[in-house]
């Protein structure tokens, strides 16, 4: 299993906790802070998905006038998770 606790930047959420298996399938996602209902929804939608698929779908999403968003920060966490645990 692969695991990361990612400190977000530029969003209302403060931390994203992600676990993926050895095949890069996302097993769990928890957000700390932010819009609770929306982030629960995002978490449920990405569990069972491949890391690269989630990155390709959510990368670059912005929140209002901010240059990032919680989905975009999830992509940063997933990229870091992949880089840290590269084979």
């Amino acid at each position: 299993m692969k695991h990361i606790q990612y400190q977000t930047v530029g969003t209302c959420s403060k931390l994203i906790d992600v676990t993926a298996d050895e095949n890069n399938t996302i097993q769990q996602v928890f957000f700390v802070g932010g819009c609770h209902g929306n982030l629960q929804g995002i978490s449920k939608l990405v569990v069972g998905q491949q890391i690269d698929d989630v990155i390709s779908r959510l990368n670059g999403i912005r929140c209002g006038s901010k240059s990032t968003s919680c989905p975009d920060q999830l992509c940063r966490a997933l990229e870091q998770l992949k880089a840290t645990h590269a084979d």
Side-chain angles (χ1 to χ4, degrees):
M1 288 295 225
K2 306 173 186 182
H3 179 254
I4 190 170
Q5 289 189 325
Y6 179 81
Q7 296 284 333
T8 61
V9 176
T11 61
C12 299
S13 66
K14 301 299 179 207
L15 180 104
I16 306 171
D17 187 292
V18 183
T19 304
D21 68 16
E22 60 281 348
N23 298 315
N24 288 329
T25 301
I26 299 169
Q27 301 297 310
Q28 289 185 46
V29 177
F30 297 104
F31 287 84
V32 177
C35 304
H36 188 62
N38 289 335
L39 297 176
Q40 280 186 65
I42 291 169
S43 297
K44 295 282 187 185
L45 289 171
V46 302
V47 166
Q49 301 295 313
Q50 291 294 302
I51 288 175
D52 288 336
D53 291 341
V54 172
I55 291 171
S56 71
R57 290 183 186 122
L58 302 181
N59 190 34
I61 291 177
R62 296 171 58 143
C63 184
S65 62
K66 296 178 183 178
S67 62
T68 190
S69 66
C70 292
D72 186 59
Q73 288 293 295
L74 174 59
C75 293
R76 303 293 78 76
L78 293 171
E79 289 167 346
Q80 196 172 87
L81 181 65
K82 279 181 55 178
T84 304
H85 297 282
D87 295 339

